[in-house]
């Protein structure tokens, strides 16, 4: 397997142990959430979705230059304005803002659900490989990555942000009374 650096990961399938990738420009990500754009790109007959095994991706990614230029990480609790914030940040022409990208959150979910050290190590490697793919794609067009994680990862903010010491970390919170009222 060669030539996946520069492609964008669309999804991670833990059952099949595969990652689906596509050649996409950051400007293709117009919907408010990553999932909606990923589905549209996967269904686009003019695009070829490349599916690779975790093992192949991890092996190839071992030779990549690891980038450390994530501009920001957004952690949130539900209904707090984080989508508004990420949509406003999308207006900046030097940022590529991804809202709740599955290829970055799913490896963390896998890691949290297992006690098996090998599986955790693979999940961490998969996270590093997918975030490196995204960072390389952003850099190719002169942008830096901003990642808005899903709310269920808010409790993991210290661990997740340790992967990106260069990034500004935003934590958005809204009191439960304001959400329910």
């Amino acid at each position: 397997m060669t030539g996946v650096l520069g492609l964008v990961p669309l999804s991670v399938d833990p059952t099949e142990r595969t990652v689906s990738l596509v050649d996409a420009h950051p400007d293709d990500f117009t919907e408010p959430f990553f999932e909606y754009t990923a589905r549209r790109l996967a269904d686009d007959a003019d695009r070829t979705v490349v599916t690779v095994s975790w093992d192949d991706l991890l092996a190839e990614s071992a030779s990549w230059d690891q980038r450390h230029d994530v501009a920001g990480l957004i952690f949130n609790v539900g209904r707090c304005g984080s989508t508004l914030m990420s949509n406003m940040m999308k207006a900046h022409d030097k940022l590529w803002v991804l809202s709740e990208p599955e290829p970055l959150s799913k490896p963390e979910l896998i890691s949290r659900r297992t006690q098996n050290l090998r599986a955790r190590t693979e999940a961490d490697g998969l996270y590093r490989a997918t975030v490196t793919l995204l960072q390389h794609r952003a850099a190719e067009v002169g942008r830096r990555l901003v990642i808005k994680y899903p709310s269920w990862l808010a409790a993991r903010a210290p661990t997740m942000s340790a992967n990106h010491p260069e990034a500004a970390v935003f934590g958005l919170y809204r009191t439960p009374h304001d959400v329910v009222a």
Side-chain angles (χ1 to χ4, degrees), residues 2-181:
T2 58
V4 299
L5 193 59
L7 297 180
V8 175
L10 294 181
S11 63
V12 172
D13 184 337
T15 305
E16 298 294 323
R17 295 177 49 86
T18 58
V19 178
S20 296
L21 308 128
V22 70
D23 185 10
H25 190 279
D27 288 342
D28 293 331
F29 288 77
T30 56
E31 288 83 1
F33 292 95
F34 183 91
E35 172 189 354
Y36 303 151
T37 300
R39 194 175 310 132
R40 177 177 51 80
L41 293 174
D43 291 342
D44 185 345
D46 293 332
R47 294 184 191 267
T48 302
V49 175
V50 177
T51 302
V52 298
S53 74
W54 288 9
D55 294 333
D56 288 346
L57 182 62
L58 291 172
E60 183 170 330
S61 69
S63 67
W64 298 343
D65 291 332
Q66 297 299 311
R67 302 191 72 88
H68 299 286
D69 58 0
V70 172
L73 306 172
I74 303 170
F75 295 95
N76 65 92
V77 296
R79 311 293 304 159
C80 66
S82 59
T83 300
L84 175 63
M85 180 181 182
S86 65
N87 286 340
M88 289 189 302
M89 292 175 87
K90 286 180 182 182
H92 194 292
D93 65 345
K94 296 294 182 193
L95 297 177
W96 183 20
V97 182
L98 297 176
S99 185
E100 304 182 12
E102 179 203 281
L104 299 183
S105 57
K106 196 163 276 184
E108 180 61 20
L109 180 62
I110 294 164
S111 179
R112 287 177 55 189
R113 289 189 171 172
T114 185
Q115 296 299 319
N116 181 298
L117 183 58
R118 181 173 180 261
R120 283 184 173 210
T121 302
E122 278 186 345
D124 291 344
L126 186 59
Y127 176 88
R128 282 191 302 280
T130 55
V131 78
T132 298
L133 285 169
L134 292 167
Q135 288 179 87
H136 273 275
R137 188 63 187 117
E140 287 174 352
V141 295
R143 296 189 187 174
R144 293 184 68 207
L145 195 59
V146 174
I147 306 161
K148 176 193 163 217
Y149 289 101
S151 60
W152 61 266
L153 273 173
R156 302 279 296 160
T159 302
M160 300 301 290
S161 58
N163 290 318
H164 307 287
E166 75 284 2
V169 178
F170 303 90
L172 281 74
Y173 175 80
R174 185 172 175 183
T175 64
H177 296 293
D178 292 339
V179 176
V180 175

